[in-house]
Amino acid sequence: MKNIALKVEERNEKEVKNNTARKLDRSDYLPAVVYGLKKEPKIIKIKRKELTTLLKGHSISSVLFDLQVGEKSKKKEAVIIKEYQRDPISRKLMHLDFLRIEMEKEIDTIVPIRILNEEISIGIKDDGGVLQHGLRELRISCLPADIPENIEYNIEELGMNEIIRVENVEVEKKIRILNDPSEVIVSIIPPTELKEEDLVTEEEDEEGMEEPEVIGEKKAEEEGEADAGDKTEGKQKESGKE
């Protein structure tokens, strides 16, 4: 996969102090930082719409960029998105960490697992089983140019009560999988087992749920108890006088 050209703008100290993330968001900009290779970090901003368009159809952790900071600069740096934050409700990107990389050196990253032929797998189509997911991503190490969009696994021949683990996944020699070989990716189980597990989980959740503590209410209760205590003490004193 070729590196994608991306132009960004550097934020100076004054702008960083005065421009909150909310102001950038209103301007449809995304705050980010570039670091790595023992160089000074740079605080930048990116046009959100432009980045969203460039990422469309790609796994966010596998895209390589040629980053150009500022319109006048002709220098480009090869980077990859190392970390990112999303809004929990809208799921839009809120912040990015770009890591500078050297194209001739291996890097560690994460790629999604793509399960093929789920609907016609033996355990599901013939035996009525249910697919249960374990891992949905794999940690890998390889040269930047060799990072795949995803790692595919065909489960057409997977039967009831059979399990696919990391050790069962085959990749090209130039890619190393860093996960524990025994970690489960998918399995096909009888639907009754899934229902029982779901019920147990729901019951445990209900038992473990506690009403959130409202600080104001707690304070009011404590003050109420204190007042009640004072009144009782007062009555006892009065009673003693009589």
Side-chain angles (χ1 to χ4, degrees):
M1 180 179 174
K2 292 183 178 180
N3 293 17
I4 298 174
L6 177 63
K7 292 182 180 180
V8 301
E9 299 173 37
E10 188 169 8
R11 300 166 64 199
N12 56 42
E13 290 184 10
K14 184 178 179 180
E15 185 181 359
V16 171
K17 288 180 181 178
N18 299 329
N19 252 340
T20 63
R22 187 174 295 178
K23 286 181 180 179
L24 284 175
D25 188 46
R26 284 199 297 265
S27 302
D28 203 33
Y29 273 95
L30 181 65
V33 63
V34 187
Y35 65 94
L37 298 183
K38 297 181 180 180
K39 296 179 182 179
E40 283 293 319
K42 286 185 179 180
I43 300 174
I44 61 174
K45 60 182 179 180
I46 311 161
K47 292 179 180 178
R48 188 192 302 276
K49 188 175 181 181
E50 180 181 340
L51 182 67
T52 303
T53 301
L54 293 176
L55 288 174
K56 194 172 183 180
H58 299 291
S59 168
I60 192 169
S61 300
S62 63
V63 180
L64 303 177
F65 294 98
D66 280 333
L67 202 68
Q68 180 183 337
V69 182
E71 288 287 341
K72 296 180 180 179
S73 174
K74 294 182 179 180
K75 186 179 178 181
K76 295 181 180 180
E77 295 181 300
V79 299
I80 190 170
I81 297 174
K82 189 65 175 177
E83 293 183 9
Y84 58 92
Q85 297 173 6
R86 289 187 184 276
D87 183 279
I89 298 174
S90 67
R91 302 302 298 160
K92 71 179 180 180
L93 289 168
M94 300 302 293
H95 190 277
L96 294 174
D97 285 3
F98 287 99
L99 176 67
R100 297 184 183 102
I101 58 174
E102 293 177 316
M103 295 301 291
E104 66 277 9
K105 289 187 178 180
E106 288 191 353
I107 61 169
D108 297 348
T109 189
I110 296 171
V111 294
I113 303 167
R114 184 184 176 199
I115 301 300
L116 303 177
N117 295 320
E118 174 185 344
E119 66 284 353
I120 61 172
S121 62
I122 295 172
I124 295 175
K125 184 179 179 181
D126 297 344
D127 302 328
V130 177
L131 188 69
Q132 189 172 46
H133 285 274
L135 294 176
R136 293 180 183 271
E137 297 176 325
L138 287 175
R139 291 181 293 109
I140 65 169
S141 179
C142 63
L143 291 174
D146 295 330
I147 299 174
E149 280 287 344
N150 53 60
I151 292 177
E152 298 181 342
Y153 196 93
N154 187 350
I155 63 167
E156 184 176 351
E157 300 297 323
L158 192 64
M160 181 71 75
N161 295 318
E162 291 184 343
I163 298 172
I164 300 301
R165 301 182 186 276
V166 171
E167 62 188 358
N168 303 124
V169 177
E170 294 182 0
V171 292
E172 297 180 55
K173 290 182 179 180
K174 56 190 177 183
I175 298 172
R176 289 186 297 116
I177 297 177
L178 304 177
N179 295 76
D180 187 319
S182 65
E183 288 186 271
V184 174
I185 294 176
V186 291
S187 60
I188 295 181
I189 62 174
T192 51
E193 287 185 20
L194 184 62
K195 288 178 182 176
E196 287 172 4
E197 288 175 7
D198 287 346
L199 287 172
V200 170
T201 304
E202 287 174 7
E203 288 173 2
E204 288 175 352
D205 288 344
E206 288 176 3
E207 288 174 3
M209 285 176 64
E210 295 180 2
E211 290 188 7
E213 181 181 285
V214 181
I215 296 174
E217 290 183 5
K218 183 177 179 182
K219 187 175 180 182
E221 287 174 6
E222 289 175 352
E223 290 175 352
E225 288 173 3
D227 291 344
D230 292 343
K231 289 178 182 177
T232 304
E233 187 179 344
K235 286 182 181 179
Q236 287 175 348
K237 286 180 180 178
E238 290 173 5
S239 177
K241 287 179 182 180
E242 290 174 2

